[in-house]
Amino acid sequence: MSHRHVIELTDVHAGGDISRIVTGGVGTIPGTNVRAQMEYLRDRADGLRRLLLEEPHGRPDMSVDLIVPAADPDAQAGYVIMEVMGYPVYSGSNTICTATALLETGRVAKREGRQQFVLESPAGAVDIAAEIRNDVVESITCEGLPSYVETPDARVTVPGVGTVHYSVVYSGGFYAVVDAEALGFDLVPAERDPLAETAHAIVTAIRADSAPRHYRLGDVGPLPFVHFAGPVSQIGGGRYRARSATYVHPGVICRSTTGTGTSARLALMHRDGHLTPGDVLETVSIGGSVFSGCLTGVTYEAERALVANTISGRGYVTARSQLVFDPDDPLIAPNMRNLPRAPDTP
């Protein structure tokens, strides 16, 4: 088997979305920090992402998180996020899954009760709080990126759908947030395919009409996400709940509501006067899984309200495995070029 490449994985799901955590079999990635390592993979070694997300080894509704050394001295580990559309700088569900995997595999030692540590994402340091009871990781709370409304109350004509009202929100990627009810959706499992088709049409129309830019980072790529926002109900003092669904271009309705989707909704609800610091929004996916977003503070920069937030959820380990890649396999051979390989890979 010396010519074959073996990669070690721990699969974890959060809210139904599976993240494949790569814990071994990948060599050193050039780069002085996690962001630079992400850029190297994106620009020069994208085969790793494709190997793990495409047939015959993967599927596009998964994500991949590669554990790498952290440059931040306070961080326990770094992680590069890979998804079907590319390399997000941040993801709440991927962070929940990565933190869970590090704890459950012993790469970060568990401590009973509330345990805090830091991970380094491509977007920078992320504070993590894990709740551990009887040696079980019961929840992960992670920082979301500061979110803000870039374009409020826009509209676009979408072929086959009509006029769609939306707001563009940045929360680690740009989201078009739309009213699910106005588009005729109840956000139930039977609507998964129509939701994906409608979202694809919306993304295509918005991309043809405009190209949002981050006020500080500039061009961060075309808008990839749609967040379907269901009606909000109050479930307690400062606590709210809403059904939600997130579309990931191309073609995937996430099983969870996603962390960045929840962060985007917090920013929009704050702008509309519905949330203040300390308030919590529970987003419920079409499959019934829940993420909790807490609005922790608001600052102002470049005439924008930046909403600080945390996202809470639970990760479940679903598999620990080895994937074997044979360069003689014609389905995967093109993706094995420039693949970083650990020296001790069998």
Side-chain angles (χ1 to χ4, degrees), residues 195-196 199-200 203 224-228 245-254:
L195 282 165
H200 179 76
V203 166
F225 306 125
V226 174
H227 189 78
F228 293 93
T246 292
Y247 169 82
V248 180
H249 186 74
V252 174
I253 294 292
C254 294

Side-chain angles (χ1 to χ4, degrees), residues 105-251:
T105 60
R107 286 168 172 78
V108 173
K110 288 182 191 173
R111 297 193 304 272
E112 282 290 305
R114 185 174 179 84
Q115 178 177 346
Q116 295 180 298
F117 57 98
V118 176
L119 297 178
E120 184 181 344
S121 76
V126 181
D127 288 332
I128 306 292
E131 295 291 341
I132 300 173
R133 298 286 182 270
N134 299 318
D135 203 39
V136 174
V137 182
E138 293 191 342
S139 72
I140 297 289
T141 296
C142 56
E143 286 183 287
L145 293 190
S147 304
Y148 70 91
V149 179
E150 173 65 19
T151 307
D153 305 323
R155 63 182 181 179
V156 66
T157 300
V158 180
V161 179
T163 300
V164 174
H165 296 262
Y166 68 95
S167 294
V168 175
V169 185
Y170 183 83
S171 56
F174 279 113
Y175 276 85
V177 182
V178 300
D179 185 325
E181 275 194 331
L183 292 169
F185 290 113
D186 297 318
L187 301 182
V188 295
E191 295 175 338
R192 185 178 298 278
D193 289 343
L195 282 165
E197 292 167 4
T198 301
H200 179 76
I202 292 171
V203 166
T204 301
I206 292 175
R207 285 182 168 189
D209 188 61
S210 62
R213 292 175 61 85
H214 192 280
Y215 72 95
R216 182 166 46 84
L217 301 175
D219 183 8
V220 294
L223 182 144
F225 306 125
V226 174
H227 189 78
F228 293 93
V232 177
S233 60
Q234 187 164 5
I235 58 175
R239 296 189 68 89
Y240 302 86
R241 176 173 289 181
R243 298 193 71 82
S244 306
T246 292
Y247 169 82
V248 180
H249 186 74

